[in-house]
Amino acid sequence: MLKRIVLWILSGALLCSAAPLPAQEPTRAEILRGEYGPWRANNDLLYYHLDIRVDPEKKFISGKNSIRFKMLKDGNRIQLDLVTTLNVDKILLGSTALKYERELNTVFVDFPETLKAGRTVTIDFYYSGQPQETGRFGGFTFKKDPAGHHWINSSCEGPGALVWWPNKDQWRDEVESMELSVSIPNNLVDVSNGKFVGKTDLKDGYTRWDWLIQYPINNYNVSVNIGNYTHFTDRIGDMTLDFYVLPENLEKARRQFAQAKGMHEAFEKYFGEYPFKKDGYKLIEAPYSGMEHQSAVTYGNHFANGYLERDWTGVGISPKFDFIIVHESAHEWFGNAVSAADVSDMWIHEGWGTYLEALYVEHVFGHNDALKYLSGYKSKVQNRTPIITQRGLHRTPPQDMYFKGALFLNTLRSVVNNDELWWKVIKEMFQHFKYQNIMTEDVVKFFNDKTAMNLTPIFDQYLRRTALPTLELTFEPGAVSYRWKADEPGFAMPVRVGSKDKWQLIQPTMEWKKMPTSLSKDALDVATDLYYVNVTKQ
Ligand SMILES: [Zn+2]
């Protein structure tokens, strides 16, 4: 996903030199949702069948989620989530009504007898109500398109899937597959995740649309898009690309969505085959900027290049491509296939997603444009709190996870200093972790193993500390002394200094080192487009 930007543009420059922010006390809701407590950890999700009816006139949804899970430990309680404004109608185990207890958005479900470890259980969670709009993209919204047709969409990454359906709403555990059945008035179309299985006329003015998701999926990625959609297709090899837009935008979409092919080509080159091939790839018009809904990416970028028709990183590269097609689809690789196991490590989605924009630029327009594009992101970095936040709390990390995260990965490539190895490691990393939920430690270990370098202090300085490392340079006639100023003990990182066409690789540590140079204080440059660092000279 991409966060709201208007405020950022206004505040970015002002906040660059602002003081670090103190940590905020966690709320009960953040703990309940984010902590992987005993009643979450005692079971492993296998499967959901979410079967709902959406009434556009009453702005009402009702239905059930059949939740299948395997007990990992003996237990008689599990923890699920549903927003308090939606009603729990009943929760059944077979024909037995289960007791439950609600606390804020949490629903604790109790079983009359202990479920033994190893047992697979399916419960039917019936619910209904009017979803309330919440979050950046509304969570679940009942809107009208410009021609006056119903246009109903879900997009709920921040507030959570619990705003419109009951589920185990955390990041560590995902179902292995899912069915999604959406019943809507006959004249509307539903586009959801996965493979379209078919539609059934329910003979009461409603039609049920059935979708099958054949991969693990994050709860927040599950989506409905209900509207007066028209459909067209394109192909890449043996995979169909499906596009759904409002009829009045069909011609614009045919032109703009041609970029989806180049996006696939770029990311398949760097990381390997599109990870949700059996489910296909869809791009679906939505009334907000865009979201990475798995195999069903939503798009609201005005059928124009840049981001909402703006030059997103402000250096002339963004207007060459459609930001939303590239950024949101990049999440199919990082975010949806490789997923973080805790929202604290969301940079695995957004830092990588943003870095993939630069890889797309490199593939299509060349390395110089990619460096320029990335450097444009520096103005958006705040350095006020670390990118990785406290785990076990459901709290979205700071926006630095996008831009500083991407600039960090570009820095890491320079540290590895061997592009052949870099391309190999990032592809292997994706292949190794796809369809898994991982933490930063897994990424660090993988890079350390594959590069035979100790990159841990560098990862930690950029992701777990607030400030950038500063290269301190002190000049005297014919020589320069240099060292890193950083928070991470043992921080050491190679960096290129000298002049643009004649870089010299030096190995600063946190201890002063000295070398001869013929360059003056003003002439000696640091390759800050390759390494995202501060530099001081005296
Ligand atoms: Zn994103």
XYZ file of all heavy atoms in Angstrom, residues 52-102:
412
model
N -20.537 -14.147 1.759
C -21.305 -12.980 2.228
C -22.302 -12.506 1.178
O -22.151 -12.751 -0.020
C -20.381 -11.794 2.601
C -19.491 -11.372 1.424
C -19.543 -12.136 3.827
C -18.765 -10.050 1.648
N -23.303 -11.819 1.685
C -24.280 -11.132 0.825
C -24.125 -9.640 1.098
O -24.049 -9.224 2.260
C -25.695 -11.605 1.172
C -26.791 -10.844 0.456
C -28.161 -11.443 0.766
N -28.365 -12.665 0.007
C -29.361 -12.842 -0.883
N -30.238 -11.886 -1.101
N -29.480 -13.983 -1.516
N -24.027 -8.872 0.037
C -23.827 -7.421 0.170
C -25.054 -6.722 -0.387
O -25.388 -6.883 -1.570
C -22.555 -6.973 -0.588
C -22.363 -5.471 -0.453
C -21.328 -7.729 -0.082
N -25.729 -5.955 0.469
C -26.928 -5.223 0.052
C -26.561 -3.747 -0.117
O -26.402 -3.024 0.872
C -28.018 -5.394 1.122
C -29.332 -4.733 0.721
O -29.305 -3.762 -0.070
O -30.379 -5.176 1.218
N -26.417 -3.295 -1.358
C -25.946 -1.915 -1.575
C -26.932 -0.867 -1.086
O -26.518 0.204 -0.637
C -25.803 -1.816 -3.096
C -25.782 -3.222 -3.599
C -26.596 -4.023 -2.624
N -28.228 -1.174 -1.167
C -29.219 -0.171 -0.756
C -29.172 0.043 0.752
O -29.196 1.175 1.233
C -30.627 -0.598 -1.173
C -30.822 -0.727 -2.693
C -30.576 0.575 -3.448
O -30.719 1.658 -2.840
O -30.209 0.500 -4.640
N -29.097 -1.047 1.487
C -29.068 -0.945 2.962
C -27.649 -0.759 3.501
O -27.465 -0.635 4.712
C -29.684 -2.199 3.585
C -31.179 -2.336 3.325
C -31.746 -3.547 4.050
C -33.243 -3.654 3.827
N -33.720 -5.048 3.939
N -26.658 -0.814 2.601
C -25.242 -0.731 3.011
C -24.964 -1.754 4.117
O -24.369 -1.430 5.164
C -24.886 0.689 3.461
C -25.110 1.693 2.349
C -24.629 3.073 2.706
C -24.823 3.986 1.501
N -24.438 5.340 1.710
N -25.375 -2.971 3.832
C -25.415 -4.020 4.850
C -24.736 -5.266 4.304
O -24.922 -5.630 3.146
C -26.897 -4.310 5.148
C -27.150 -5.194 6.337
C -27.219 -4.662 7.616
C -27.348 -6.565 6.171
C -27.494 -5.470 8.719
C -27.610 -7.379 7.267
C -27.682 -6.822 8.544
N -23.915 -5.910 5.141
C -23.374 -7.217 4.744
C -23.759 -8.260 5.786
O -23.905 -7.963 6.978
C -21.841 -7.217 4.523
C -21.082 -6.773 5.756
C -21.444 -6.386 3.345
C -19.568 -6.787 5.540
N -23.928 -9.489 5.308
C -24.268 -10.581 6.223
C -23.724 -11.865 5.621
O -23.542 -11.971 4.409
C -25.783 -10.685 6.395
O -26.402 -10.877 5.131
N -23.453 -12.812 6.489
C -22.958 -14.080 5.972
C -22.125 -14.790 7.008
O -22.304 -14.581 8.213
N -21.217 -15.616 6.497
C -20.403 -16.372 7.449
C -19.008 -16.599 6.909
O -18.778 -16.573 5.701
C -21.074 -17.713 7.746
C -21.031 -18.737 6.618
C -21.476 -20.097 7.151
C -21.146 -21.243 6.216
N -22.067 -21.416 5.098
N -18.099 -16.779 7.851
C -16.770 -17.255 7.484
C -16.588 -18.629 8.111
O -16.688 -18.762 9.335
C -15.685 -16.283 7.974
C -14.298 -16.681 7.467
O -14.181 -17.433 6.499
N -13.266 -16.175 8.110
N -16.361 -19.635 7.262
C -16.027 -20.967 7.772
C -14.517 -20.998 7.933
O -13.779 -20.785 6.962
C -16.480 -22.046 6.797
O -17.881 -21.976 6.653
N -14.078 -21.215 9.163
C -12.656 -21.107 9.503
C -12.148 -22.491 9.865
O -12.668 -23.123 10.795
C -12.457 -20.141 10.696
C -13.068 -18.768 10.379
C -10.973 -20.032 11.069
C -13.114 -17.817 11.571
N -11.187 -22.974 9.105
C -10.602 -24.292 9.416
C -9.201 -24.091 9.960
O -8.412 -23.328 9.394
C -10.576 -25.167 8.167
C -10.071 -26.578 8.446
C -10.669 -27.586 7.478
N -10.117 -27.478 6.136
C -10.835 -27.564 5.011
N -12.125 -27.687 5.043
N -10.243 -27.491 3.844
N -8.910 -24.749 11.051
C -7.587 -24.616 11.676
C -7.210 -25.930 12.315
O -8.063 -26.781 12.583
C -7.586 -23.484 12.721
C -8.651 -23.628 13.775
C -8.393 -24.295 14.966
C -9.926 -23.113 13.566
C -9.380 -24.440 15.936
C -10.924 -23.257 14.529
C -10.647 -23.920 15.715
N -5.917 -26.069 12.552
C -5.414 -27.271 13.210
C -4.879 -26.857 14.575
O -4.138 -25.873 14.677
C -4.280 -27.852 12.359
C -3.710 -29.151 12.871
C -2.661 -29.634 11.879
C -1.846 -30.750 12.454
N -0.800 -31.156 11.518
N -5.256 -27.596 15.602
C -4.748 -27.275 16.933
C -3.277 -27.693 17.032
O -2.904 -28.801 16.646
C -5.566 -27.987 18.014
C -6.999 -27.491 18.144
S -7.155 -25.719 18.486
C -6.616 -25.646 20.213
N -2.455 -26.774 17.533
C -1.034 -27.071 17.733
C -0.779 -27.509 19.181
O 0.218 -28.157 19.475
C -0.188 -25.839 17.412
C -0.293 -25.347 15.954
C 0.484 -24.049 15.782
C 0.197 -26.398 14.975
N -1.690 -27.090 20.065
C -1.614 -27.474 21.479
C -3.028 -27.812 21.922
O -3.990 -27.317 21.338
C -1.146 -26.283 22.341
C 0.304 -25.938 22.199
C 0.643 -24.786 23.130
C 2.098 -24.406 22.964
N 2.376 -23.068 23.469
N -3.154 -28.586 22.987
C -4.481 -28.811 23.559
C -5.041 -27.464 24.005
O -4.309 -26.637 24.578
C -4.395 -29.722 24.796
C -3.992 -31.147 24.443
O -3.805 -31.436 23.246
O -3.877 -31.963 25.380
N -6.330 -27.242 23.766
C -6.898 -25.969 24.208
C -8.399 -25.955 24.026
O -8.955 -26.764 23.288
N -9.057 -25.017 24.728
C -10.507 -24.909 24.549
C -10.937 -23.475 24.237
O -12.094 -23.118 24.360
C -11.265 -25.468 25.762
C -10.811 -24.809 27.041
O -10.095 -23.793 26.999
N -11.202 -25.367 28.179
N -9.968 -22.658 23.812
C -10.298 -21.278 23.440
C -9.400 -20.848 22.284
O -8.212 -21.189 22.269
C -10.084 -20.365 24.653
C -10.144 -18.895 24.352
C -10.103 -18.022 25.615
N -11.462 -17.693 26.039
C -11.788 -16.583 26.712
N -10.873 -15.721 27.076
N -13.041 -16.344 27.057
N -9.954 -20.100 21.328
C -9.125 -19.453 20.302
C -9.508 -17.978 20.218
O -10.581 -17.575 20.694
C -9.261 -20.113 18.913
C -10.687 -19.994 18.375
C -8.789 -21.566 18.937
C -10.806 -20.286 16.892
N -8.632 -17.201 19.614
C -8.838 -15.751 19.525
C -9.039 -15.331 18.072
O -8.184 -15.547 17.225
C -7.609 -15.028 20.089
C -7.738 -13.511 20.063
C -6.492 -12.830 20.609
O -5.655 -13.457 21.250
N -6.378 -11.537 20.341
N -10.209 -14.718 17.807
C -10.505 -14.175 16.476
C -10.776 -12.683 16.607
O -10.697 -12.136 17.715
C -11.704 -14.905 15.866
C -11.533 -16.425 15.695
C -12.827 -17.055 15.214
C -10.394 -16.739 14.727
N -11.094 -12.044 15.495
C -11.264 -10.589 15.486
C -12.463 -10.187 14.631
O -12.637 -10.715 13.534
C -10.006 -9.914 14.902
C -8.732 -10.348 15.612
O -8.227 -11.441 15.306
O -8.263 -9.599 16.471
N -13.229 -9.259 15.148
C -14.313 -8.635 14.369
C -14.624 -7.297 15.035
O -14.754 -7.215 16.256
C -15.578 -9.512 14.362
C -16.742 -8.944 13.533
C -16.423 -8.968 12.035
C -18.042 -9.720 13.794
N -14.746 -6.278 14.204
C -14.981 -4.937 14.752
C -16.282 -4.914 15.579
O -17.249 -5.607 15.263
C -15.005 -3.902 13.592
C -16.273 -4.051 12.747
C -14.845 -2.489 14.092
N -16.274 -4.122 16.641
C -17.412 -4.136 17.582
C -18.718 -3.691 16.916
O -19.793 -4.061 17.390
C -17.143 -3.160 18.748
O -16.795 -1.883 18.193
C -16.038 -3.651 19.639
N -18.631 -2.911 15.842
C -19.850 -2.399 15.213
C -20.543 -3.441 14.333
O -21.633 -3.183 13.827
C -19.522 -1.151 14.374
O -18.372 -1.446 13.570
C -19.223 0.032 15.256
N -19.927 -4.595 14.132
C -20.611 -5.676 13.421
C -21.076 -6.716 14.440
O -20.405 -6.962 15.447
C -19.687 -6.307 12.370
C -19.314 -5.394 11.189
C -18.321 -6.085 10.257
C -20.540 -4.922 10.417
N -22.218 -7.307 14.134
C -22.849 -8.214 15.075
C -22.352 -9.649 14.881
O -22.219 -10.114 13.757
C -24.371 -8.150 14.840
C -25.129 -8.865 15.926
O -24.892 -8.615 17.109
N -26.007 -9.778 15.543
N -22.076 -10.333 15.991
C -21.833 -11.773 15.924
C -23.200 -12.437 16.013
O -23.889 -12.319 17.032
C -20.946 -12.247 17.097
C -20.730 -13.768 17.010
C -19.610 -11.513 17.104
N -23.651 -13.109 14.955
C -24.977 -13.737 14.979
C -24.926 -15.088 15.692
O -25.752 -15.374 16.541
C -25.517 -13.872 13.556
C -25.747 -12.494 12.926
O -26.059 -11.548 13.678
O -25.592 -12.353 11.699
N -23.973 -15.912 15.328
C -23.744 -17.181 16.036
C -22.431 -17.766 15.547
O -21.964 -17.448 14.439
C -24.893 -18.173 15.797
C -25.094 -18.526 14.333
C -26.337 -19.404 14.124
C -26.598 -19.557 12.623
N -27.827 -20.249 12.284
N -21.850 -18.598 16.368
C -20.628 -19.308 15.978
C -20.897 -20.787 16.230
O -21.225 -21.188 17.357
C -19.408 -18.817 16.788
C -19.243 -17.288 16.641
C -18.141 -19.540 16.318
C -18.147 -16.688 17.511
N -20.806 -21.577 15.168
C -21.175 -22.989 15.265
C -19.976 -23.904 15.038
O -19.137 -23.644 14.167
C -22.231 -23.338 14.199
C -23.571 -22.596 14.236
C -24.491 -23.124 13.129
C -24.251 -22.769 15.599
N -19.963 -24.992 15.849
C -19.062 -26.115 15.572
C -20.006 -27.261 15.189
O -20.687 -27.807 16.062
C -18.247 -26.468 16.817
C -17.394 -27.741 16.729
C -16.301 -27.620 15.678
C -16.777 -28.064 18.088
N -20.112 -27.550 13.896
C -21.169 -28.456 13.456
C -22.504 -27.806 13.767
O -22.760 -26.677 13.338
N -23.329 -28.453 14.580
C -24.607 -27.828 14.940
C -24.574 -27.239 16.350
O -25.566 -26.727 16.850
C -25.737 -28.866 14.820
O -25.410 -29.981 15.627
N -23.414 -27.318 17.003
C -23.291 -26.815 18.376
C -22.941 -25.332 18.385
O -21.942 -24.926 17.777
C -22.174 -27.580 19.132
O -22.441 -28.976 19.033
C -22.080 -27.152 20.582
N -23.776 -24.547 19.064
C -23.466 -23.119 19.203
C -22.352 -22.943 20.236
O -22.428 -23.500 21.335
C -24.713 -22.362 19.630
N -21.339 -22.205 19.855
C -20.203 -21.997 20.758
C -20.385 -20.697 21.535
O -20.946 -19.727 21.032
C -18.902 -21.938 19.954
C -18.563 -23.216 19.174
C -17.326 -22.988 18.301
C -18.322 -24.389 20.126
N -19.879 -20.701 22.750
C -19.868 -19.462 23.539
C -18.709 -18.600 23.074
O -17.697 -19.121 22.591
C -19.710 -19.792 25.014
C -20.929 -20.512 25.574
C -20.870 -20.539 27.092
C -22.201 -21.046 27.629
N -22.046 -22.073 28.640
N -18.869 -17.312 23.256
C -17.782 -16.407 22.885
C -17.809 -15.195 23.793
O -18.820 -14.907 24.444
C -17.892 -15.989 21.414
C -19.198 -15.320 21.067
C -19.352 -13.941 21.219
C -20.284 -16.072 20.611
C -20.554 -13.326 20.921
C -21.493 -15.463 20.316
C -21.616 -14.088 20.472
O -22.812 -13.479 20.195
N -16.688 -14.505 23.819
C -16.552 -13.311 24.664
C -15.911 -12.234 23.791
O -14.920 -12.509 23.108
C -15.630 -13.663 25.824
C -15.582 -12.668 26.946
C -14.586 -13.132 28.024
O -14.591 -14.335 28.377
O -13.795 -12.290 28.447
N -16.466 -11.025 23.828
C -15.902 -9.945 23.003
C -15.177 -8.943 23.904
O -15.684 -8.563 24.961
C -17.001 -9.218 22.218
C -17.778 -10.135 21.306
C -18.750 -9.379 20.403
N -18.077 -8.788 19.246
C -18.728 -8.273 18.197
N -20.044 -8.234 18.157
N -18.042 -7.761 17.182
